[in-house]
Amino acid sequence: MKSILFAVALTSLSSFAAEVSFECKISDQKHINQFSLEVRGLISDEGQFSDASFDFSLRKSGTDSRTERLSVTRDGTVSFFEAGTFGPKKSFRVSSPVPGNDVEYVNILVDVAPKYSSQVRMADGRVYFGTCKSL
């Protein structure tokens, strides 16, 4: 009986799946490139996700406040952090590096204390920043 319970415990640990939802909003700060994004129900299976849609709104720094839309489908990882690691709440990171792609690097830190800690880097080197919170 103990071996059956041990086997069930091992199976449940190795088949970790989580669903995360978050949003990143553009603030009124004009001196920094920013992005906004809303993701609902991103499923991470054992720390990995695939074919996730990200619909970004990007705003370049300066007085021109127009935004442009950019949609990408990505694979990547989700990492979870205990409360106190990056802020008072439990937090997580969504990461998707694809060198050579128009959107080379997506690094989204959710529920992290410092503002503008999330980044989206384009192939031309331009970086957009965001502050992201869980939904």
Side-chain angles (χ1 to χ4, degrees), residues 49-94:
F49 65 88
S50 58
D51 295 324
S53 294
F54 294 93
D55 296 317
F56 294 101
S57 288
L58 306 171
R59 187 187 75 195
K60 293 179 184 174
S61 65
T63 56
D64 182 6
S65 61
R66 289 181 295 166
T67 59
E68 63 180 77
R69 310 267 315 162
L70 177 66
S71 297
V72 296
T73 302
R74 303 298 284 250
D75 299 340
T77 60
V78 178
S79 306
F80 295 92
F81 306 97
E82 293 301 318
T85 304
F86 293 111
K89 294 175 66 175
K90 198 173 189 177
S91 56
F92 60 93
R93 174 182 178 221
V94 174

Side-chain angles (χ1 to χ4, degrees), residues 1-10:
M1 184 66 161
K2 286 183 183 179
S3 61
I4 292 173
L5 289 175
F6 182 71
V8 169
L10 275 178

